[in-house]
Every structure is written in C-alpha cells, then in structure tokens.
Amino acid sequence: MSDLEYHRLSAAVLATIETTVDRWLQDDVIDIDASRTGGLLELSFPNGSKIVVNTQPPLQELWVAAQAGGYHFKWVDGAWREREGQEIFALLSARASEQGGQPLQFQPD
C-alpha cells in the first residue's frame, strides 16, 4: 500500500471513531471525551479509563491500547485486522463496552 493510501485509510478509522463517540454524547448514551492530536486519538471514559488509537505510519499499522492490552492492526483483505484476525471496530466495541460498563458498538462507515 502506498503512504497516501495508508494515511487515507487510517484517517478514516479515526474519523469514524470520533463521529461515533460524538453521536453517543448527543444521544446521551455515554459521555466519552475524545481528544485527537494528529494521528493519536484518546478516548477517556467516565470511570477514568482510556483507550488510545494511534497511527504508526512507518509500519503502516494502527495501534490500540486499552485496559485489556495493546493491539497492532494491519490492512488485510479490506479491513484493519490484528494478527489473530479480529477487525479493529469489533475489538474497539468489545473494549469500549468493558470500559464503559454498557454495550457500545463501533462500525465502519
């Protein structure tokens, strides 16, 4: 994949996450604070826990850090997948649900 394509795909993931969190706030689902600096997106949950999604351009990866651990995602077969095959939005949904104390669902646009 070209660097341009990596940046386009990784930026789309961050934008989708931000849009979802904003919608939850507007719909009074949960109050998660999303803070983005360049290629780093930090989600702060009401209980004080965080999930961090970070772009890694030299490796063409996305990294996710949550209470349950850290995960590295590569673009494989049209989706961001970690080495065991789990897709990034499925993993984010599981981790956010754990940390948010309620079912939360991220979905690709």
Side-chain angles (χ1 to χ4, degrees), residues 3 20 22 29 31 33 38 48 54 66 82 84 93 95 99 102 106:
D3 288 345
T20 301
D22 287 346
V29 173
D31 184 6
D33 180 46
N54 194 9
E82 48 93 38
E84 292 159 11
S93 296
R95 300 294 84 85
Q99 291 179 223
Q102 66 187 67
F106 287 98

Side-chain angles (χ1 to χ4, degrees), residues 2-56:
S2 71
D3 288 345
L4 184 63
E5 183 72 358
Y6 167 78
H7 287 292
R8 185 184 69 76
L9 292 168
S10 61
V13 168
L14 297 181
T16 297
I17 296 167
E18 285 179 303
T19 300
T20 301
V21 169
D22 287 346
R23 188 177 67 247
W24 290 339
L25 182 60
Q26 289 174 359
D27 294 346
D28 202 27
V29 173
I30 189 169
D31 184 6
I32 298 173
D33 180 46
S35 173
R36 185 170 173 184
T37 305
L40 185 136
L41 176 61
E42 185 175 272
L43 305 177
S44 300
F45 289 78
N47 65 2
S49 68
K50 296 180 188 248
I51 292 177
V52 177
V53 182
N54 194 9
T55 60
Q56 295 295 318

